[in-house]
């Protein structure tokens, strides 16, 4: 939980990665999926999730689809064509970053 | 456990009280809060779950304003933040285009040897037509947006950032046609920069109008039911 600040800069990459794996997701689903994947280590707050989603949407990386579920409307996010390209680029950047960090923090071990 | 109609209405009332009225953000938050409460209702009552969820969300609804949108324009934090995320990149793009325009226009205007003697009336006529077209377009889009009877982040930006520009027309009005041509009978660099800013505002207005229409059409089928 103390690592939240370290994760903060990677939030957009995390969202893009999740949407790359699943065709479309809604806000609450994203928070739960991240919690599940990180075994509760990373807890995305609403105050961090929605600004990130809205930024990606404004940049044209995400598209929106609305559907009626249980008497209310659900807004799904999905990757646009540009979003798919950006995801690949962001993931490559992230891998490079992790490799660099690994070589500084623990040079004996390699990610490869 | 699924929420009933009354419970959903109670959550909607909470959102209304907090000023979350723009459909692109309201339905999204309503769904998030509802899903969260439904999951909590497996172990606690609706009332307890709602209070717990409200505690998480309240800080996102604190009233705030921003320099980017004008300090008199305030709203719930989550909404204002969304507006800034849309508006700020457009502002920087516009600034870049203005710098390019100013550089090119100023250089070309100084290098070229020309005289507008005898063309004053034509220049004035073209500017007047341009102004009429600009005002007509901004009002037309405004009416079309109002007719859709739904508020979105984009309609808010249109009303707060584009509409006030109509008042600027009074400052840069077509009747000041003498100011558009300098004493050296050339185009006035300052006045044409003003016109270019109006042109960019029209592009911004078109963007907000299109995005508003797109957002409303996403929800249209459900809003009518």
């Amino acid at each position: 939980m103390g690592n939240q600040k370290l994760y903060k800069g990677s939030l957009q990459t995390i969202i893009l990665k999740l949407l790359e794996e699943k065709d479309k997701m809604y806000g609450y689903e994203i928070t739960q999926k991240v919690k599940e994947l990180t075994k509760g280590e990373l807890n995305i707050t609403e105050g961090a999730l929605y600004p990130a989603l809205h930024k990606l949407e404004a940049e044209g990386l995400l598209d929106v689809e609305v559907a009626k579920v249980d008497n209310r409307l659900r807004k799904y996010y999905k990757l646009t064509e540009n979003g798919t390209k950006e995801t690949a680029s962001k993931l490559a950047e992230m891998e490079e970053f992790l490799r660099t960090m690994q070589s500084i923090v623990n040079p004996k071990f390699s990610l490869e | 456990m699924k929420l009933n109609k009354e419970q959903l209405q109670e959550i909607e009332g909470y959102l209304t009280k907090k000023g979350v009225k723009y459909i692109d953000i309201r339905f999204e938050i309503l769904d998030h809060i509802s899903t969260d409460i439904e999951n909590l209702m497996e172990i606690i009552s609706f009332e307890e779950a709602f209070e717990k969820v409200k505690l998480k969300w309240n800080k996102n609804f604190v009233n705030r304003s921003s320099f980017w949108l004008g300090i008199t324009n305030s709203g719930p934090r989550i909404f204002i933040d969304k507006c800034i995320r849309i508006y700020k990149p457009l502002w920087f793009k516009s600034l870049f285009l203005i710098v390019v325009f100013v550089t090119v226009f100023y250089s070309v205007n100084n290098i070229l040897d020309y005289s507008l003697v005898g063309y004053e009336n034509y220049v004035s006529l073209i500017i007047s037509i341009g102004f009429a077209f600009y005002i007509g377009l901004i009002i037309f889009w405004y009416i079309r947006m109002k007719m859709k009877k739904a508020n979105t982040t984009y309609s808010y930006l249109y009303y707060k950032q584009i509409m006030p520009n109509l008042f600027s027309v009074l400052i840069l009005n077509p009747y000041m046609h003498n100011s558009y041509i300098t004493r050296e009978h050339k185009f006035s660099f300052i006045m044409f920069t003003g016109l270019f800013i109006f042109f960019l505002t029209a592009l911004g207005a078109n963007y907000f109008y299109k995005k508003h229409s797109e957002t409303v059409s996403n929800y249209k089928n459900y809003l009518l039911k």
Side-chain angles (χ1 to χ4, degrees), chain A residues 66-69 73, chain B residues 217-225:
Chain A
V66 179
K68 195 161 192 178
V69 180
L73 299 182
Chain B
S217 72
N218 270 340
Y219 290 90
K220 197 172 71 185
N221 295 335
Y222 307 103
L223 289 171
L224 292 172
K225 282 174 191 171

Side-chain angles (χ1 to χ4, degrees), chain B:
Chain B
M1 194 184 287
K2 297 291 171 201
L3 294 175
N4 61 37
K5 209 177 166 186
E6 287 72 33
Q7 288 166 334
L8 273 172
Q9 276 171 353
E10 201 175 322
I11 302 169
E12 287 215 54
Y14 165 68
L15 292 180
T16 305
K17 200 174 143 194
K18 293 292 178 184
V20 186
K21 56 182 178 179
Y22 300 90
I23 58 167
D24 50 330
I25 211 163
R26 183 183 170 94
F27 290 123
E28 177 168 53
I29 296 173
L30 175 68
D31 180 49
H32 191 118
I33 290 178
S34 305
T35 315
D36 208 357
I37 291 175
E38 282 174 349
N39 287 338
L40 286 168
M41 278 166 72
E42 300 295 331
I43 42 171
I44 52 177
S45 70
F46 167 76
E47 286 72 22
E48 286 172 302
F50 192 18
E51 284 309 312
K52 213 172 170 180
V53 172
K54 274 201 272 191
L55 277 179
K56 274 203 288 183
W57 277 91
N58 278 342
K59 56 182 176 290
N60 297 306
F61 299 143
V62 170
N63 204 53
R64 73 160 291 206
S65 61
S66 163
F67 156 78
W68 290 102
L69 306 172
I71 50 164
T72 51
N73 298 324
S74 62
R77 174 183 289 278
I78 198 164
F79 169 70
I80 294 292
D81 284 351
K82 184 177 181 183
C83 289
I84 297 169
R85 274 179 174 81
I86 296 166
Y87 191 63
K88 210 163 135 182
L90 294 178
W91 197 91
F92 278 112
K93 273 181 202 166
S94 302
L95 185 68
F96 170 75
L97 290 172
I98 291 166
V99 170
V100 171
F101 176 84
V102 164
T103 313
V104 173
F105 191 88
Y106 188 77
S107 312
V108 172
N109 208 30
N110 279 345
I111 293 166
L112 280 183
D113 185 22
Y114 68 95
S115 170
L116 290 170
V117 174
Y119 292 98
E120 288 90 346
N121 288 339
Y122 293 113
V123 172
S124 172
L125 181 71
I126 290 167
I127 291 169
S128 299
I129 293 170
F131 263 97
F133 190 65
Y134 172 81
I135 294 166
L137 216 51
I138 299 288
I139 292 173
F140 172 71
W141 287 331
Y142 174 80
I143 294 168
R144 289 288 302 255
M145 285 166 94
K146 281 282 179 193
M147 280 166 67
K148 290 190 192 294
K149 289 182 177 140
N151 290 315
T152 65
T153 311
Y154 298 100
S155 66
Y156 174 85
L157 286 169
Y158 193 98
Y159 303 151
K160 298 288 183 184
Q161 305 300 322
I162 303 294
M163 289 309 283
N165 279 293
L166 287 186
F167 296 103
S168 316
V169 171
L170 297 172
I171 303 164
L172 212 73
N173 71 72
Y175 300 105
M176 284 169 65
H177 53 80
N178 289 336
S179 315
Y180 287 97
I181 296 171
T182 62
R183 283 179 191 165
E184 291 80 32
H185 305 289
K186 285 188 157 194
F187 288 119
S188 161
F189 155 70
I190 293 170
M191 296 305 270
F192 273 84
T193 302
L195 287 184
F196 184 68
I197 293 170
F198 269 99
F199 171 71
L200 291 179
T201 321
L203 290 185
N206 179 255
Y207 174 75
F208 292 147
Y209 168 70
K210 279 204 299 200
K211 292 298 278 184
H212 171 77
S213 306
E214 202 179 293
T215 308
V216 173
S217 72
N218 270 340
Y219 290 90
K220 197 172 71 185
N221 295 335
Y222 307 103
L223 289 171
L224 292 172
K225 282 174 191 171

Side-chain angles (χ1 to χ4, degrees), chain A residues 1-109:
Chain A
M1 289 295 277
N3 296 334
Q4 297 293 323
K5 276 186 186 171
L6 289 175
Y7 291 122
K8 206 179 167 188
S10 315
L11 184 53
Q12 289 187 23
T13 312
I14 294 170
I15 294 169
L16 292 171
K17 171 72 180 161
L18 290 179
L19 289 169
E20 188 196 42
E21 286 172 1
K22 200 174 173 191
D23 183 39
K24 58 180 185 179
M25 290 178 96
Y26 56 97
Y28 186 81
E29 188 184 11
I30 293 173
T31 61
Q32 297 308 300
K33 188 71 188 170
V34 169
K35 206 186 267 182
E36 182 199 316
L37 288 172
T38 62
K39 296 184 176 68
E41 175 69 17
L42 177 55
N43 189 16
I44 302 179
T45 61
E46 298 76 18
L49 174 73
Y50 287 104
L53 282 170
H54 297 154
K55 188 171 189 288
L56 292 168
E57 189 191 346
E59 286 171 356
L61 302 178
L62 298 185
D63 208 355
V64 164
E65 199 179 291
V66 179
K68 195 161 192 178
V69 180
D70 300 333
N71 271 339
R72 57 181 184 261
L73 299 182
R74 182 157 286 169
K75 187 173 171 183
Y76 287 97
Y77 290 94
K78 52 185 185 180
L79 289 177
T80 59
E81 208 173 300
N82 278 346
T84 310
K85 285 179 203 160
E86 186 64 17
T87 306
S89 149
K90 288 237 183 211
L91 287 174
E93 256 175 46
M94 176 63 81
E95 276 174 26
E96 184 59 40
F97 170 75
L98 291 173
R99 256 195 295 274
T100 310
M101 287 307 289
Q102 185 73 23
S103 64
I104 295 168
V105 176
N106 201 347
K108 285 179 191 169
F109 296 97

